[in-house]
């Protein structure tokens, strides 16, 4: 059985569409749906609750927004499936893109997680994975590395044209992550210290340590409306991105690489006055105190 785990945070209309697409596309009796309401407004919850009851979804109500990782861990803790499929609320299934991925992972025990290719609302395919995040990424970006070292950094645009062969990548995007449940729990699941962003990098690093691949399957697609859940709070979300970026990089790298990483980020921010409010994050000894979890660092 496949457990779909969806976080809802003031996005009930999107969550309803996501649930409805699962019901339409997935074979009956092959799945369950777990929805975690992450402290939404009462009117949002009141919209979602009767629909979840009608569709026989398990709905868990949280009093406050606990963040992406914690919310997903709450959902995973009540899930019963052999596979855990974490979906953003703004994902819509346009086909059964999950069953064949599960079958692939059954046949390839070295794979730790998979995702189909993202499709935009206009029908175009979108990049569905990222390369290693770190100093070189901050310094030169992905394009130059793809041109110079195509085997290590597969060109993301060209991979989208592959018809049926899965591709091993560094990290898949967090909007659609499918894991064998036993492997998800073996690496400890989500780091609940991370409130939002860079969960994919953190999970990818732990899977890489165990020798498990992260893969994109270009034959299958899903629809994703990017950042629908954070569009109303762009400034806070951008700051949180840097909090998580520095925190996760520091988890897996030594003192000197982390120092270089922070310096690169600080230099990038210095030439962008509109983003100077993020500088305290880059310079802080404890970046997590600046997280939205603590009221924008006021605690």
């Amino acid at each position: 059985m496949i457990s779909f785990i969806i976080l809802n945070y003031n996005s009930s209309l999107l969550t309803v569409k996501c649930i409805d697409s699962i019901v339409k596309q997935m074979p009956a009796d092959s799945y369950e749906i777990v929805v975690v309401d992450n402290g939404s407004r009462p009117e949002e919850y009141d919209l979602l609750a009767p629909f979840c009851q009608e569709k026989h979804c398990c709905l868990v109500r949280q009093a406050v927004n606990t963040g992406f990782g914690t919310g997903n861990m709450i959902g995973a803790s009540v899930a019963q499936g052999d596979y855990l499929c974490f979906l953003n609320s703004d994902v819509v299934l346009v086909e059964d893109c999950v069953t064949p991925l599960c079958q692939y992972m059954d046949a390839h025990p070295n794979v730790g997680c998979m995702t189909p290719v993202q499709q935009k609302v206009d029908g175009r395919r979108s990049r569905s994975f990222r390369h290693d995040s770190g100093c070189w990424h901050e310094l030169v970006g992905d394009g130059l590395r793809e041109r110079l070292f195509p085997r290590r950094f597969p060109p993301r645009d060209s991979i989208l044209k592959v018809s049926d062969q899965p591709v091993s990548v560094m990290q898949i995007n967090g909007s659609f992550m499918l894991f064998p449940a036993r492997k998800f729990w073996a690496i400890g699941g989500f780091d609940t210290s991370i409130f939002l962003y860079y969960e994919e990098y953190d999970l990818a690093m732990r899977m890489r340590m165990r020798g498990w691949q992260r893969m994109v399957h270009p034959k299958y697609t899903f629809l994703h409306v990017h950042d629908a859940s954070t569009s109303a709070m762009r400034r806070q979300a951008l700051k949180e991105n840097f909090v998580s970026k520095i925190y996760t990089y520091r988890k897996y790298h030594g003192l000197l690489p982390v120092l270089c990483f922070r310096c690169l980020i600080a230099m990038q921010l210095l030439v962008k006055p509109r983003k100077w409010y993020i500088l305290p994050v880059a310079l802080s000894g404890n970046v997590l105190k600046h997280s939205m979890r603590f009221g924008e660092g006021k605690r």
Side-chain angles (χ1 to χ4, degrees):
M1 185 173 68
I2 301 161
S3 295
F4 290 94
I5 299 168
I6 308 166
L7 291 190
N8 181 73
Y9 178 65
N10 296 325
S11 57
S12 293
L13 288 176
L14 289 171
T15 302
V16 164
K17 290 180 180 179
C18 180
I19 294 171
D20 198 42
S21 73
I22 295 171
V23 174
K24 288 179 178 178
Q25 299 297 340
M26 294 298 299
D29 301 323
S30 68
Y31 66 91
E32 65 172 356
I33 301 174
V34 178
V35 180
V36 179
D37 184 80
N38 231 354
S40 296
R41 295 187 297 269
E43 61 270 24
E44 289 280 344
Y45 179 77
D46 291 342
L47 173 64
L48 180 65
F51 185 83
C52 286
Q53 185 176 12
E54 177 188 343
K55 299 298 182 181
H56 305 290
C57 304
C58 173
L59 176 59
V60 182
R61 170 69 159 162
Q62 293 293 105
V64 296
N65 185 356
T66 58
F68 185 82
T70 301
N72 274 317
M73 288 296 281
I74 291 168
S77 68
V78 301
Q80 301 295 312
D82 302 307
Y83 285 89
L84 303 178
C85 187
F86 298 93
L87 299 180
N88 278 13
S89 61
D90 54 0
V91 162
V92 174
L93 299 193
V94 295
E95 61 179 337
D96 177 6
C97 55
V98 182
T99 301
L101 269 59
C102 293
Q103 293 170 345
Y104 185 89
M105 286 191 282
D106 282 341
H108 298 82
N110 63 322
V111 178
C113 68
M114 291 191 75
T115 189
V117 168
Q118 294 183 24
Q119 179 179 307
K120 298 180 180 179
V121 291
D122 61 5
R124 291 181 299 163
R125 289 186 163 201
S126 175
R127 294 168 175 174
S128 303
F129 67 95
R130 296 186 63 183
H131 299 309
D132 195 6
S133 301
C135 291
W136 282 109
H137 172 76
E138 297 296 327
L139 192 62
V140 301
D142 290 326
L144 182 59
R145 292 191 296 174
E146 289 178 353
R147 289 192 293 272
L148 294 177
F149 310 105
R151 289 190 176 181
R152 183 176 178 185
F153 304 106
R156 291 183 292 171
D157 290 328
S158 64
I159 283 178
L160 299 180
K161 301 174 183 177
V162 178
S163 60
D164 58 1
Q165 293 301 313
V167 180
S168 179
V169 300
M170 170 53 193
Q171 62 189 67
I172 62 176
N173 287 356
S175 57
F176 189 126
M177 295 186 289
L178 177 64
F179 298 84
R182 62 182 180 81
K183 291 185 177 179
F184 175 80
W185 291 115
I187 61 172
F190 289 90
D191 181 345
T192 55
S193 294
I194 303 172
F195 187 77
L196 186 64
Y197 300 121
Y198 277 80
E199 298 89 359
E200 312 98 312
Y201 177 74
D202 180 58
L203 292 166
M205 290 296 291
R206 282 183 271 145
M207 281 186 281
R208 187 166 70 173
M209 290 175 181
R210 288 177 173 262
W212 294 340
Q213 292 181 299
R214 292 74 58 202
M215 304 198 76
V216 178
H217 205 316
K219 184 177 180 179
Y220 304 100
T221 62
F222 68 97
L223 182 64
H224 181 213
V225 183
H226 288 277
D227 296 327
S229 58
T230 57
S231 59
M233 49 179 183
R234 291 290 182 186
R235 183 180 172 95
Q236 289 179 323
L238 181 60
K239 185 176 181 180
E240 193 70 25
N241 185 285
F242 280 85
V243 170
S244 300
K245 178 188 294 191
I246 294 172
Y247 170 78
T248 53
Y249 192 75
R250 190 172 62 185
K251 279 184 67 174
Y252 300 105
H253 302 278
L255 181 61
L256 184 58
V258 170
L259 180 61
C260 294
F261 190 62
R262 284 177 178 269
C263 289
L264 286 170
I265 291 174
M267 286 188 292
Q268 290 175 5
L269 294 173
L270 283 173
V271 298
K272 300 175 181 178
R274 296 177 65 179
K275 296 183 179 180
W276 282 0
Y277 68 94
I278 302 173
L279 273 173
V281 175
L283 302 175
S284 175
N286 178 16
V287 294
L288 290 181
K289 73 178 182 180
H290 298 276
S291 171
M292 286 190 290
R293 185 190 302 275
F294 303 115
E296 293 188 276
K298 292 178 182 178
R299 187 177 300 175

